[in-house]
Structure formats: structure tokens, C-alpha cells
Amino acid sequence: MIARQIVAEALGTALLLISVVGSGIMGESLAGGNTAIALLANAIATGCMLYAIITVLGPISGAHFNPAVTLAFLMRWEITPKLALAYVAAQVAGGILGVWITHLMFDLPLLQLSTTARAGIGQWSAEAVAMFGLLFVIFGGLAARADSVPTLVALYITGAYWFTASTSFANPAVSIARSLTDTFAGILPSHAPGFIVVQLLTTLIAIPLLGWLFGRK
């Protein structure tokens, strides 16, 4: 059972990165320089993939696909520390593999480092908003109607691409993986740690607040 859970987390995160990076490459190549169209394609493809992988893999692993989400469940004592560490390792490895598979599909160099700068108070505050909102819809959805969570997460991330300055990474594994692609979705490797710190700090602050707001069954 544990092996299936870990494989599900790696597979889901890989598919998530394939959708993020692949749709960014395809959108940029077809948009004729129109960044808005490329971002729209990126957002829709990511939202669609999130709905699919959460629905299909949720019954196996809980469909975290995100070290910050795993941390949130750990803080709520809904996952053991040992399994949480295994999840995080699987998520990071899966994300990197997803980026490499995407490069292979589009006939790009397998190993890359991004040159896209994403730093500063605007980017960091955007990541705090994106991360808090993601946790809000996950735990709010679980409290209100658990079967709606795949839809809520997919819709939220699709929208957050547009209303956050950072385009809503909201995921440390995604931040690491996207630093390894010099394409539309990339982030400079030296700027990824700033995103990750904000994502994790936001989780530490958000979970007690959301636990109070929504209560615990």
C-alpha cells in the first residue's frame, strides 16, 4: 500500500509538470508572441490536468503532489512523518522527471537551467496569496464537500495563474522542477528558494487558522 502511495505521488507530480511545462512550450510556440494567449493555454492545461490526477490518484495517496500540502497534512497529524518524507522525495523526483520527459517530447536539451527572473516583494507576496488560497480550497472543500476538491483545486489554480503576479507556483516541488527548464514556465534556480520559503511559511501560518475556521471532524 505504501509503495502504491509513493508511486502515485511521483506519477501525479510528473504529470502535473508535464502539463505546466508542456503547455507553456506549446502555447508560446503557437501564440505568435502574444503572452496572454500563451498564459491562457498554460492555465487551462494545468487546471485540466489537476482535475484528472486528483480524481484518479486521490483514492490511492490523497493526491498531495505538493510538499507544502504534505506538510499541511502532517501538521494536522493526518500523515506520519516517515510517510510525509517519502511523499516529498517522490514529489520532487516526479516533478524533475516530468520536466525531462517534456523536454524529450519537444526535442529540447534534456538538462537545462532557467534564466527567467522571478523575485522581489511582488512575486513573494503573490506566492503567499497563491499558497494560502490553495490550502483554503483544499481544507475548505474537505470540510464542506470532499468530492468537490478536484474541481475546486483545478478552478482555483486556473484562476490563480491570472490574478497572482507569480502565476501561482504554490508548490515547492514545482518550484524546484521549473528551475530546470529554460522555457515559458521556468524560474531562475537562485530565485526558486525564495518561492519555497514563502510557500512553506505560508503553510505554517495558514493551517492553524484554517483548522480554526473550518473545524475538525
Side-chain angles (χ1 to χ4, degrees), residues 21-126:
V21 177
S23 63
I25 295 169
M26 183 67 81
E28 189 173 43
S29 68
L30 298 178
N34 189 327
T35 305
I37 296 298
L39 184 62
L40 180 62
N42 203 193
I44 292 172
T46 303
C48 290
M49 180 62 85
L50 278 168
Y51 180 81
I53 59 178
I54 295 171
T55 300
V56 172
L57 296 174
I60 300 174
S61 68
H64 296 191
F65 314 135
N66 184 334
V69 172
T70 298
L71 172 61
F73 280 101
L74 179 63
M75 291 175 67
R76 292 163 58 94
W77 299 103
E78 295 180 25
I79 186 173
T80 65
K82 183 178 179 180
L83 185 57
L85 285 174
Y87 268 31
V88 170
Q91 291 155 1
V92 172
I96 293 170
L97 181 61
V99 167
W100 289 346
I101 290 171
T102 308
H103 290 166
L104 185 65
M105 287 196 299
F106 286 93
D107 198 23
L108 297 173
L110 203 64
L111 302 180
Q112 304 179 22
L113 293 175
S114 178
T115 56
T116 303
R118 300 181 190 266
I121 189 64
Q123 295 286 307
W124 298 328
S125 60

